[in-house]
Amino acid sequence: MVSGTLSTGLTPRTSTKTKTRLAPVSMQGLEVLALPVASLPDRIASMAESNPLLEINYEDDLFSYDALPSESAFEEAKERAEAKAYDVTGWSAPRHTLGIAGATEWDFSRIQDDCIETETLHEFLRLQVTDLHLSACDLGVMNALIDNVTDDGYFVGDVGMVAFECDVEYACAERLLEALQRLQPRGVGAHDVRECLKLQIPDDEPHPEVMSELIEGYLDDLAQGRLPAIARELGVPVDEVARMKRVVRGMNPRPGSAFYQRPDSRYVIPDIIVRRKGSDFTVEVVGASQNCLALNAEYVAMMEEEGLAREAAAYLSEKREEADSFLRNLEQRRQTLQRFGVFLVERQFKFFLTGGSALSPLTMQQAADALDIHVSTVSRAVQGKYIQTPWGTFPLKMFFTRAMPRVSSGMGLGAQATTGAVSSFEIKQMIKDLIAAEDKSHPLSDAKICAALNEKGIEIKRRTVAKYRESLGIEAQSRRRWSCDS
């Protein structure tokens, strides 16, 4: 890895500073620059396979897998996972460890999903089907029905088509679908969310018909907290509707979700690592070693031999030019990410020093001007890449934030003066803090949040507040009130 060091004095500074303009790069160079470090080994291996003049050093850190657990450790972990029993009558969702696994603690249940069959929803359902003692014909129909169940647990097939393909009566397929819907997890095999929730009505529910009617026709009203109106329509007390609402909120609209890892829950490998060492910051580019790829010495020597056939000489010359170009592109990628990492620590110095919401407004054009490169190069440099900091791992694009004006009340007739700018990232943190501190029985509306930010001198509109709130995954006022009531 290659590193650059910054001091944590009153003004950030780098030990070396370059301001050279990058030469125009080929399309291949732009593609290499856009590659995240996780895709870099595959690209290097592909180039080495197609070019005999390139040779991979598999002992380099980029291609070394010494940190992986031993085969015996893997087998032991697999056996433990396979021995894990599922209680069909008292089902509980399997738990998966999230985060970065250590060298001696690996989450094999997530790494080896294909090897642990009972980890999938389909296999869990088939495990329960064995206790139903179905005939060979019914078992074939049941398996066909299970094949039409999504990862979320919904049945998306056509019962009539399943009956036709299995050469059985429609009533037979329908009967087996009802049997499927009685399996665990509760709610599995439903056609839509309402049916899914109705399948989860507790067996000891005192008013199952009323709750079924509530789920079928009043979910939107329930979400908006219109309990008195629902009570009048259903002819039950408001307290009873509130109790049913708490039961509904405890149901799972995605009953199969515990059996798979969603796309937004994944491991990432940082392309840049920023470490704090005493009074300095060290910027490292992951996968920047100079020793992972080199020219094949035998072919280079062959090119210098006399009497080499013209076709062979032309072929090797073409491959040498291609190899040199690819090596230059790798070096250019390293330099660009290195310079960008150092610039980022300089520009967002307060964030790296203290964390939290201390992000200054920054655009890609400003970064391009500071690094003396084209803005498209900056865009490719940050595309799909992450940076590991003392405060966590973040996408590089997070550091580019919109600037919002901050004003202060001046003297006289309500005059105002601009005192600087605040980043959209910081505003989102303010919104999050305001909602965290709100009266849970009377949540803040977007208009009130907007007014609170305006009082702090931030010029922002209500619709922008709503946009930022939604980007934070925070529900609207009416839904937060519902959460509080439950």
Side-chain angles (χ1 to χ4, degrees):
M1 293 184 178
V2 181
S3 64
T5 303
L6 296 96
S7 170
T8 58
L10 294 178
T11 57
R13 62 181 186 273
T14 57
S15 55
T16 59
K17 192 152 186 165
T18 58
K19 294 290 286 183
T20 58
R21 180 177 292 274
L22 299 179
V25 292
S26 63
M27 285 301 297
Q28 183 193 67
L30 295 177
E31 292 172 0
V32 171
L33 177 61
L35 285 175
V37 67
S39 303
L40 200 56
D42 288 340
R43 183 58 179 272
I44 291 175
S46 176
M47 285 298 298
E49 183 178 352
S50 63
N51 192 323
L53 267 75
L54 289 173
E55 188 174 49
I56 295 177
N57 175 17
Y58 286 98
E59 294 182 0
D60 181 74
D61 289 343
L62 190 61
F63 288 89
S64 176
Y65 298 96
D66 291 341
L68 290 175
S70 63
E71 184 176 351
S72 61
F74 166 73
E75 292 298 334
E76 291 175 2
K78 179 181 174 183
E79 289 175 4
R80 288 195 300 270
E82 289 177 339
K84 181 170 56 177
Y86 287 87
D87 182 1
V88 176
T89 58
W91 175 82
S92 61
R95 294 179 298 173
H96 305 307
T97 303
L98 296 180
I100 300 176
T104 59
E105 186 95 15
W106 287 79
D107 183 8
F108 289 95
S109 64
R110 288 264 54 91
I111 296 175
Q112 293 290 332
D113 273 347
D114 293 338
C115 296
I116 305 172
E117 296 182 341
T118 54
E119 185 101 16
T120 69
L121 174 62
H122 287 181
E123 292 301 329
F124 182 57
L125 293 174
R126 290 189 171 98
L127 181 66
Q128 299 173 74
V129 168
T130 58
D131 293 332
L132 300 181
H133 306 295
L134 301 176
S135 65
C137 178
D138 285 355
L139 183 60
V141 178
M142 178 65 79
N143 284 328
L145 292 171
I146 292 176
D147 288 338
N148 284 277
V149 174
T150 67
D151 287 339
D152 279 329
Y154 287 88
F155 179 76
V156 293
D158 183 276
V159 177
M161 184 60 66
V162 171
F164 175 78
E165 292 176 348
C166 296
D167 194 22
V168 297
E169 296 292 331
Y170 181 89
C172 174
E174 191 173 38
R175 170 178 57 82
L176 289 169
L177 178 60
E178 292 175 356
L180 170 63
Q181 292 174 343
R182 290 193 291 270
L183 300 179
Q184 299 292 336
R186 299 195 68 163
V188 72
H191 293 83
D192 54 46
V193 67
R194 284 178 169 79
E195 184 181 14
C196 176
L197 297 181
K198 286 193 288 185
L199 288 172
Q200 298 178 57
I201 295 176
D203 296 333
D204 58 354
E205 167 59 40
H207 307 293
E209 297 84 1
V210 178
M211 179 170 286
S212 179
E213 188 178 353
L214 174 69
I215 293 172
E216 184 64 35
Y218 298 94
L219 282 184
D220 291 339
D221 292 330
L222 206 61
Q224 298 298 325
R226 300 168 184 159
L227 304 192
I230 297 174
R232 287 194 300 270
E233 291 285 338
L234 296 179
V236 297
V238 175
D239 290 345
E240 183 64 13
V241 175
R243 181 194 66 80
M244 291 184 179
K245 184 185 72 172
R246 289 192 291 271
V247 175
V248 172
R249 280 192 60 83
M251 297 176 179
N252 187 356
R254 294 189 295 108
S257 60
F259 290 87
Y260 74 104
Q261 187 177 20
R262 297 188 65 80
D264 57 352
S265 180
R266 63 187 186 277
Y267 294 101
V268 297
I269 302 175
D271 296 80
I272 300 174
I273 299 177
V274 176
R275 293 188 177 94
R276 184 172 182 177
K277 297 182 178 180
S279 60
D280 296 332
F281 281 111
T282 300
V283 178
E284 301 175 348
V285 178
V286 179
S289 173
Q290 303 298 299
N291 302 318
C292 65
L293 192 65
L295 292 174
N296 187 300
E298 293 183 7
Y299 281 102
V300 172
M302 185 184 300
M303 293 179 65
E304 299 174 354
E305 293 178 358
E306 295 182 0
L308 188 64
R310 183 189 307 174
E311 294 81 1
Y315 173 79
L316 291 177
S317 177
E318 178 186 349
K319 291 300 180 181
R320 173 64 185 268
E321 184 177 347
E322 181 184 277
D324 288 341
S325 176
F326 186 68
L327 290 172
R328 284 194 301 270
N329 291 333
L330 287 179
E331 174 60 15
Q332 187 68 74
R333 178 186 183 277
R334 181 198 67 79
Q335 290 181 6
T336 302
L337 290 178
Q338 177 69 29
R339 294 181 61 216
F340 178 77
V342 172
F343 162 78
L344 204 58
V345 176
E346 284 185 323
R347 186 59 183 261
Q348 303 289 4
F349 189 71
K350 186 178 179 182
F351 173 86
F352 286 96
L353 195 63
T354 63
S357 60
L359 268 185
S360 302
L362 178 64
T363 66
M364 288 191 181
Q365 186 61 59
Q366 290 173 328
D369 293 341
L371 296 172
D372 204 13
I373 58 179
H374 196 273
V375 66
S376 64
T377 304
V378 175
S379 177
R380 287 182 172 87
V382 304
Q383 178 182 343
K385 298 182 180 67
Y386 292 79
I387 183 170
Q388 180 179 314
T389 75
W391 313 105
T393 300
F394 307 97
L396 287 176
K397 282 190 175 181
M398 186 198 76
F399 293 87
F400 296 100
T401 59
R402 178 185 173 190
M404 302 287 287
R406 185 194 291 270
V407 298
S408 62
S409 299
M411 301 298 293
L413 299 174
Q416 289 185 326
T418 301
T419 60
V422 58
S423 70
S424 57
F425 182 86
E426 188 173 354
I427 293 175
K428 289 179 182 179
Q429 292 298 117
M430 293 179 183
I431 293 173
K432 185 186 296 185
D433 293 341
L434 286 170
I435 293 177
E438 71 185 359
D439 181 353
K440 303 305 178 185
S441 60
H442 297 88
L444 296 173
S445 65
D446 291 337
K448 289 184 178 180
I449 295 174
C450 180
L453 294 175
N454 290 160
E455 289 178 1
K456 296 182 179 181
I458 299 171
E459 292 187 338
I460 190 171
K461 303 296 184 182
R462 185 201 60 79
R463 60 179 177 272
T464 306
V465 170
K467 175 183 175 183
Y468 286 174
R469 173 183 54 74
E470 291 171 358
S471 71
L472 292 169
I474 299 176
E475 294 180 324
Q477 176 194 26
S478 59
R479 289 182 175 272
R480 299 203 305 276
R481 182 185 295 118
W482 180 19
S483 300
C484 173
D485 294 340
S486 64

